Amino acid sequence: MLQAIFIVLSVITLGGAVAVVTNKNVFHSALFLVVVLVGVAGLYLLLEAPFIAMVQVLIYVGAISTLIIFAIMLTRRLMNTHQRQRNEQWLLSATVCLGLLLVLVVLITQAHWPVVQANVSEGSLPRLGQDLMERYVLPLEVAAVLLLAALIGAIVIARERMP
Amino acid sequence: MIPLSWFLLVAAALFCIGLYGVLSRRNAVGILMSIELMLNAVNLNLVAFWRYRAPLDSLGQAFVLFVLVVAAAEAAVGLALVIAVYRSRETIVMEDIDLMKW
């Protein structure tokens, strides 16, 4: 049963990903990106990480995809579907990516992956919160400063120049 | 239970698709979307390894949260750059943005 759900989610995710990179219309690509992000959130749920899945939906589906759609609409006039969407090196890129995928698939299927059995359905989220406040409090603060810097930087970069 | 390697295979495929998008797209926003795909593949790997290798340690999930923060910052700054470039050069085709190439 879980395997069937996993296969359905993976097909949706990977199909959406292919649509994101090959679609001629960038706006449609952004909508397919939402499908991919929701599919990955479903995979997180299968991995028993509901908090990560929720954060994924909130930040990626809620914020980042909205930002991307905004940017597409602000720059839409020049990127209509009649224009070429691939550059000259797309065939070479496809070869390189297929080669990399082949190497990774061979490596992953050949290797032995030992698994630690554990029941994580309860207690994983409180532990994460506690660790974020104790063990990882410095990275957490650095992340906060990074977000603030990125916010200010984005505003400064995108602002209209004063006449 | 789903084998760990299945998740790794899906993440590898997602990463390679994103890499293809980064290398072959002409639209700057398209490239940013492909970068998001690659970041998602890495996050999927991190969560899978956390669940199957160290489920009692929250380091895996904490790492995913920090990657999410960096991804959000990257998307905000990247899209602001795209809009700034569009405003000054009237294009977001990557081949035409070659001022710093020699």
Side-chain angles (χ1 to χ4, degrees), chain B residues 19-95:
Chain B
L19 184 63
Y20 170 73
V22 170
L23 291 175
S24 71
R25 274 278 186 187
R26 290 177 83 223
N27 188 325
V29 183
I31 291 177
L32 278 172
M33 286 193 283
S34 308
I35 292 176
E36 299 300 335
L37 287 184
M38 292 167 78
L39 285 165
N40 263 284
V42 173
N43 271 351
L44 188 57
N45 253 354
L46 284 171
V47 177
F49 276 121
W50 162 77
R51 177 65 188 83
Y52 286 92
R53 295 288 299 141
L56 297 177
D57 192 341
S58 59
L59 176 61
Q61 290 202 49
F63 216 116
V64 171
L65 289 181
F66 293 131
V67 172
L68 270 168
V69 168
V70 175
E74 170 258 326
V77 175
L79 292 171
L81 278 171
V82 167
I83 288 170
V85 166
Y86 178 75
R87 193 175 284 144
S88 66
R89 312 214 38 171
E90 290 283 304
T91 181
I92 53 167
V93 176
M94 289 310 268
E95 289 145 27

Side-chain angles (χ1 to χ4, degrees), chain A residues 114-126:
Chain A
V115 169
V116 177
Q117 295 291 344
N119 183 18
V120 295
S121 53
E122 66 220 32
S124 106
L125 188 52

